[in-house]
Amino acid sequence: MRSRLIFLCAVLMLVHGVAARLTLHVSPTGSDCGTGAEDSPFQTLEKARDTIRALSAEERRQDIHVILRGGLYPIHNTVVFGLEDGSDTHCVTYQAYPGERPVLSSGVSLTGWKPATDFPEGLPVEAHGKIWEMELPPELGCFKVMVD
């Protein structure tokens, strides 16, 4: 009888440990108006992070997993994680969905390339016709080139 009771307690502890986990889903095709459930994923890391920050102390007494679906996540602003985004007693994990590859990119696509028609002085003649140019998108701001 005692061994059955110990076995039952062990099973209950195991089930409680498995159940004590919150999973949020993020997808490039999701919406930050979603719930974070697998069938209603968020679209941004910030929304997942802010949802975790808004949890009560009781809700944060569990491991939290944020699952990122594959695809491109454009990052327009720095995503900052602070001490409030972790826990001393439980894990907060951001990970890729199994078999998928999320890509976080703050890059800007450069399009509109055309062959250069005006060449800098001193450019070897052999390079003419091999130089391309384009207008920088306004979101990149101002660049200054310094040569020493």
Side-chain angles (χ1 to χ4, degrees), residues 77-142:
N77 299 302
T78 303
V79 180
V80 178
F81 293 95
L83 294 175
E84 70 273 20
D85 298 310
S87 169
D88 290 339
T89 58
H90 293 88
C91 293
V92 179
T93 305
Y94 288 75
Q95 66 188 61
Y97 188 86
E100 295 188 9
R101 184 175 178 212
V103 177
L104 310 177
S105 175
S106 62
V108 174
S109 293
L110 301 178
T111 59
W113 290 94
K114 61 185 179 186
T117 55
D118 186 26
F119 303 105
E121 188 177 317
L123 183 72
V125 175
E126 296 82 16
H128 290 211
K130 299 176 183 173
I131 306 295
W132 289 73
E133 64 184 6
M134 53 87 58
E135 293 291 326
L136 290 177
E139 63 264 24
L140 288 180
C142 182

Side-chain angles (χ1 to χ4, degrees), residues 12-60:
L12 288 175
M13 287 173 34
L14 180 63
V15 169
H16 176 70
V18 170
R21 172 174 136 168
L22 171 65
T23 301
L24 297 174
H25 295 266
V26 183
S27 170
T29 60
S31 168
D32 283 348
C33 294
T35 63
E38 188 169 12
D39 62 348
S40 181
F42 297 134
Q43 186 175 36
T44 64
L45 286 176
E46 293 93 340
K47 179 61 177 175
R49 179 204 58 202
D50 294 345
T51 298
I52 294 168
R53 285 180 178 177
L55 295 173
S56 69
E58 180 66 31
E59 292 170 312
R60 290 192 62 136

